[in-house]
Amino acid sequence: MRFTRRIILAALTLLLPVPAALAQSPNPLPSWNEGAAKKSITDFVTKVTMQGGADFVPSAERIATFDNDGTLWCEQPAYFQLAFDRIKEMAPQHPEWKTTQPFKAILDRDMKALAASGEKGLMQIMAATHAGMTTDDFSKAVREWAGSARHPRFNRPYTELVYQPMLELLAYLRADGFKTFVVSDGGVEFMRPWMEKVYGIPPERVVGSSGVVKLQTGASGRPELMKIAKIEFVDDGPGKPVGINRFIGRRPIFAFGNSDGDLQMLQWTVAGEGARFAGIVHHTDAEREYAYDRQSKIGKLDKALDEAAAKGWSVVDMKRDWKKVFTVEP
């Protein structure tokens, strides 16, 4: 009788809600060194998920937004989308690209010139390479590129140059009831085909810069979406809070970036009521990755670094705070 009762009680226990903290691994961020950055994250998550606590946030409101370039994956020596190989594929139809930047830089493999084109170059690449294809064909081209293209320094697929500590952070937040989103200035059609596989973030939770598309009837007689050479929305700087409002509909309580292009997203996040978290990845490791901030043409971190110091935001020092950088070390 006692044995039967113990079985029943054990079964009922399994049906009870398990506190998030107890459901976690003892060390949910194993690639993070112990220190202020890691502690600021775990303290915040504990605070907003503690039922009955003063800072408790219902799971529906636990929105976390992440920049992509330089925050979730590497962005040097130039934004990875600038290396999208469709430029080479389309070059025979565009002889003017041989003398026009940023196209010339890609054709010449001139990474310095490519980096110098910065965000303006990225928008030019988007307008040119995204046009004249259906959204389905473009997604296929991106997946093929992601599977074959190699980084010039590390000689690995770009999708292997994602940050292991940030993948752990995404998983940690989701385990505690957060909804994780990417909010990036990269092209949304470029990011969506691979992000679910790499980050666990589905296409509907990816917010990015976008070009105009139009519905038309294809050769098969079926409707299709055709991409046009015109930028519709730039999801960078002040555009990030606008994009979050338009596509997510809730202000984040947790946001991570790495550059001045993320400053307004971080400011808007912490301007809300209740507990808030703003984090910055600071690239300080030239040996394992890259070291850059205030003077960089790619991922410039200047004003946001000063504001982080003034407002007490969490700044992650890559060299000091991360045991490893990439999911697959070069």
Side-chain angles (χ1 to χ4, degrees):
M1 184 70 176
R2 289 179 182 176
F3 180 72
T4 303
R5 185 177 300 165
R6 283 198 299 270
I7 293 176
I8 294 172
L9 289 173
L12 288 173
T13 301
L14 292 175
L15 297 177
L16 294 174
V18 179
L22 296 179
Q24 298 290 333
S25 160
N27 183 13
L29 302 174
S31 296
W32 294 68
N33 288 315
E34 298 300 326
K38 180 177 180 179
K39 187 174 187 301
S40 69
I41 293 169
T42 56
D43 284 354
F44 177 82
V45 171
T46 299
K47 182 167 57 176
V48 300
T49 58
M50 186 177 296
Q51 189 83 35
D55 295 303
F56 176 75
V57 176
S59 59
E61 299 173 18
R62 293 177 206 160
I63 304 297
T65 57
F66 290 80
D67 169 57
N68 182 46
D69 296 310
T71 301
L72 296 179
W73 73 350
C74 181
E75 65 181 352
Q76 295 286 350
Y79 298 122
F80 289 176
Q81 189 170 347
L82 288 170
F84 184 35
D85 279 349
R86 195 157 185 255
I87 289 293
K88 298 172 186 176
E89 175 189 329
M90 297 172 64
Q93 288 76 48
H94 296 274
E96 73 278 8
W97 286 356
K98 294 180 180 179
T99 58
T100 306
Q101 297 291 11
F103 310 102
K104 182 178 185 300
I106 293 177
L107 296 174
D108 294 344
R109 296 182 179 275
D110 186 345
M111 299 307 295
K112 185 176 181 180
L114 188 58
S117 69
E119 293 171 6
K120 180 180 178 181
L122 179 58
M123 292 303 108
Q124 289 176 288
I125 294 292
M126 278 184 57
T129 62
H130 289 212
M133 295 180 76
T134 67
T135 52
D136 290 339
D137 287 342
F138 185 79
S139 294
K140 180 181 178 182
V142 171
R143 286 192 293 270
E144 291 174 352
W145 173 85
S148 62
R150 294 293 186 272
H151 188 273
R153 173 184 169 185
F154 298 115
N155 194 31
R156 288 186 177 277
Y158 289 94
T159 50
E160 286 187 6
L161 298 178
V162 299
Y163 302 138
Q164 177 63 26
M166 298 305 281
L167 291 184
E168 293 170 2
L169 176 55
L170 289 170
Y172 175 49
L173 292 174
R174 287 194 287 262
D176 277 288
F178 281 78
K179 298 180 182 71
T180 55
F181 293 80
V182 164
V183 179
S184 172
D185 66 338
V188 70
E189 305 282 1
F190 174 78
M191 297 186 290
R192 283 175 173 167
W194 54 269
M195 282 200 169
E196 187 164 23
K197 179 179 179 181
V198 176
Y199 298 152
I201 296 178
E204 64 271 21
R205 292 189 180 176
V206 178
V207 180
S209 299
S210 58
V212 175
V213 297
K214 70 174 182 178
L215 182 68
Q216 64 181 34
T217 301
S220 65
R222 295 180 178 180
E224 61 186 17
L225 289 173
M226 179 64 69
K227 299 177 69 61
I228 309 250
K230 183 178 179 182
I231 299 298
E232 176 187 40
F233 174 66
V234 177
D235 190 48
D236 190 48
K240 290 198 173 187
V242 173
I244 292 169
N245 180 69
R246 180 186 299 181
F247 299 109
I248 300 175
R250 289 185 188 270
R251 189 194 301 255
I253 66 168
F254 186 105
F256 239 106
N258 80 294
S259 74
D260 286 356
D262 305 311
L263 177 57
Q264 289 86 353
M265 176 175 73
L266 299 173
Q267 290 172 328
W268 192 62
T269 296
V270 300
E273 296 180 358
R276 302 278 157 170
F277 181 96
I280 290 176
V281 175
H282 190 189
H283 295 262
T284 58
D285 198 329
E287 183 177 346
R288 295 187 298 175
E289 201 236 17
Y290 295 93
Y292 59 97
D293 46 42
R294 298 184 190 275
Q295 305 304 321
S296 179
K297 295 182 181 297
I298 297 293
K300 181 178 181 179
L301 178 61
D302 183 24
K303 295 179 181 178
L305 190 59
D306 290 338
E307 183 136 355
K311 300 292 180 63
W313 298 348
S314 181
V315 177
V316 177
D317 184 304
M318 184 179 285
K319 187 173 184 178
R320 181 191 64 212
D321 291 321
W322 288 357
K323 294 178 183 178
K324 65 182 296 186
V325 174
F326 299 118
T327 54
V328 180
E329 294 289 8

